[in-house]
Amino acid sequence: RTLEIMMKFWQRLTATLVLVLPMMATAAENPQTVVQDATNTLLTRITKEKATLKKDEAALLRVVEENITPFVDIDGIARSVMGQYFRQATPAQQKEFARVFKQSLVRTYAKGLTSYEDQKIVFKPYKAGTDTQKAQVNVDVHGDGGQVFPVTFQMQMDKAGKWKVRNLILNGINLGLTFRNQFSSAVESNRGSLDKAIAGWTPDTKALEGTSAGGGKTNK
């Protein structure tokens, strides 16, 4: 029942994620402070441009491109999603999947962007881990019906000292692991053809309804 409710809330939750993803742009001793400060900046833009974004798909995609993708480790996530097949892929195939993955990411977030309706976002107290290059920011998203959806951002500091998203866990469901399983299934259904699996790739968010909440981390 919990997963069913979560899937109904997926689009609005995606919109909320759009608000908090860009906060990883600046290196900071406390990543949560970065998240909270930048949330206000993006929320202001979304509120101001909402009418335009609903009508102009190009503008919508541009907002995502400008505010989301620079702060997500696209290559790292794509590598993790390909899993064992990354080592089998040629450099050209690896590059192509990263491109396709980024494109699907942009469109996924764009669909949810204009659905933001002032959902309450509560940041949990930040606790630094022993690894100074990795961090975890925990957020509770409150739905209209009183439901609370925990969101965990697994982040990693890049070589430039900036925090970037490496994985998301929504209501206990590990998206990185879910997409990895989907890609593996795509390769198998295409009889081992990486080219066909890559060309036809699109994240199936509906599959989250049947995903185990006990998936392992992909923040490597």
Side-chain angles (χ1 to χ4, degrees):
R1 177 60 179 171
T2 299
L3 292 181
E4 181 181 351
I5 294 175
M6 191 203 75
M7 289 306 302
K8 290 181 180 179
F9 192 61
W10 168 257
Q11 188 176 33
R12 289 188 175 182
L13 181 57
T14 300
T16 301
L17 300 183
V18 170
L19 298 180
V20 292
L21 276 169
M23 321 326 165
M24 321 313 171
T26 306
E29 189 172 335
N30 184 339
Q32 182 160 312
T33 300
V34 180
V35 173
Q36 291 174 311
D37 289 346
T39 295
N40 295 329
T41 301
L42 185 56
L43 181 56
T44 298
R45 180 174 182 182
I46 290 176
T47 301
K48 182 179 179 180
E49 302 179 26
K50 190 169 186 178
T52 300
L53 297 178
K54 282 186 175 181
K55 300 176 182 178
D56 190 343
E57 182 181 3
L60 187 59
L61 295 176
R62 187 166 58 250
V63 167
V64 176
E65 183 72 31
E66 294 173 353
N67 292 275
I68 302 300
T69 58
F71 316 119
V72 177
D73 185 359
I74 297 293
D75 290 339
I77 297 176
R79 183 170 59 249
S80 179
V81 170
M82 290 188 79
Q84 62 178 325
Y85 298 106
F86 181 82
R87 294 185 294 274
Q88 301 175 21
T90 65
Q93 288 173 325
Q94 295 170 355
K95 183 177 180 180
E96 175 62 9
F97 182 69
R99 185 194 69 78
V100 172
F101 184 83
K102 176 181 178 180
Q103 184 179 63
S104 67
L105 180 71
V106 169
R107 293 195 174 279
T108 296
Y109 284 126
K111 289 179 181 179
L113 180 59
T114 55
S115 296
Y116 177 73
E117 297 292 347
D118 298 320
Q119 287 89 352
K120 182 180 179 181
I121 305 171
V122 178
F123 293 88
K124 300 295 229 13
Y126 176 70
K127 295 182 180 180
T130 56
D131 189 338
T132 59
Q133 301 300 307
K134 296 181 181 181
Q136 187 165 290
V137 173
N138 297 307
V139 180
D140 280 344
V141 180
H142 292 248
D144 297 337
Q147 312 97 325
V148 178
F149 303 91
V151 181
T152 296
F153 292 84
Q154 293 182 335
M155 301 169 308
Q156 187 165 324
M157 187 177 289
D158 66 11
K159 294 181 179 179
K162 296 182 179 180
W163 289 106
K164 291 195 174 183
V165 178
R166 281 299 306 271
N167 190 29
L168 290 176
I169 298 177
L170 307 181
N171 209 35
I173 297 179
N174 188 313
L175 292 192
L177 182 59
T178 298
F179 293 155
R180 179 190 296 177
N181 291 337
Q182 288 178 6
F183 184 78
S184 179
S185 295
V187 174
E188 292 178 5
S189 63
N190 284 285
R191 299 183 178 181
S193 173
L194 289 179
D195 287 330
K196 291 182 179 180
I198 292 170
W201 166 259
T202 181
D204 182 6
T205 55
K206 292 182 179 180
L208 293 175
E209 187 171 357
T211 302
S212 171
K217 297 180 180 179
T218 62
N219 188 16
K220 297 180 180 178

